[in-house]
Amino acid sequence: MYMETLEVLFGSVIFVVVFFGLYFLPSFIAFRREHSNKTAILALNIFLGWTVLGWVGSLVWSLTNQER
């Protein structure tokens, strides 16, 4: 019984880490690429990332080329 509880807990932690990693992927990309609109991309990702359109929009925006 103790091992089952530990396995469920470990599986839950892995799921949460992977979920948030994927959820904030556009923001990670924007900050890594030092995108000029990284704060706006983060805000879009936080507030509308739960919708598929908001997440895809922030991902595309984070991958756009920027003029320097």
Side-chain angles (χ1 to χ4, degrees):
M1 181 157 156
Y2 175 75
M3 287 302 289
E4 292 172 0
T5 305
L6 193 59
E7 290 171 359
V8 169
L9 180 64
F10 183 70
S12 299
V13 169
I14 295 295
F15 174 78
V16 167
V17 168
V18 169
F19 175 78
F20 280 109
L22 289 175
Y23 185 83
F24 287 108
L25 180 65
S27 298
F28 294 147
I29 292 171
F31 278 86
R32 176 77 173 141
R33 296 182 73 209
E34 297 182 9
H35 199 283
S36 59
N37 295 319
K38 61 188 170 198
T39 307
I41 293 170
L42 176 64
L44 177 66
N45 195 194
I46 289 171
F47 294 116
L48 292 176
W50 60 272
T51 66
V52 175
L53 186 60
W55 188 86
V56 170
S58 60
L59 179 64
V60 169
W61 192 8
S62 70
L63 293 172
T64 57
N65 286 333
Q66 334 164 47
E67 295 183 21
R68 297 200 184 244

